[in-house]
């Protein structure tokens, strides 16, 4: 008979229901950290600062923090390896990511209100 270990069950309970949304948000922040400056936008605070705020609010546990950082880096590397200049497709991706990020934030805060 297969049963989940108490540790695995505890970890599942501790994972917030909005985890996937926040992980996606971390990836979007990484992408925007490349795209926005590339296209001449000087955001204050910067996207790396936004990520730091997310980590401080949500990722006290080291493994969870590592997963957030990995997702940020994944988003960053994905665009840094493709775009060296601001192109129409870079601008479109940036606009879509900003809209998706806003929606994620709105959904999570509206549903789980922090």
């Amino acid at each position: 008979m297969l049963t989940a270990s108490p540790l695995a069950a505890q970890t599942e309970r501790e994972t917030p229901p909005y985890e996937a949304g926040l992980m996606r948000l971390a990836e979007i922040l990484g992408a925007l950290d490349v795209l926005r400056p590339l296209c001449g936008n000087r955001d204050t605070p910067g996207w790396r600062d936004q990520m730091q705020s997310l980590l401080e609010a949500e990722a006290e546990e080291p493994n969870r923090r590592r997963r957030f950082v990995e997702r940020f880096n994944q988003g960053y590397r994905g665009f840094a390896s493709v775009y060296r200049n601001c192109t129409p497709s870079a601008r479109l991706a940036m606009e879509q990511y900003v809209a998706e990020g806003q929606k994620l934030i709105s959904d999570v805060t509206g549903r789980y209100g922090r």
Side-chain angles (χ1 to χ4, degrees), residues 6-32:
L7 181 59
Q10 181 181 9
T11 302
E12 286 178 22
R13 281 194 303 271
E14 291 175 2
T15 301
Y18 50 83
E19 185 79 354
L22 290 184
M23 289 294 166
R24 177 66 181 149
L25 181 60
E27 189 175 347
I28 288 169
L29 292 174
L32 291 174

Side-chain angles (χ1 to χ4, degrees), residues 4 10 20-21 27-28 46 57 66-67 77 81 90 100 102 107-108:
Q10 181 181 9
E27 189 175 347
I28 288 169
R66 179 184 46 76
R67 288 191 307 272
R77 284 190 305 265
S81 67
E100 184 181 353
Q102 289 172 334
D107 290 350
V108 169

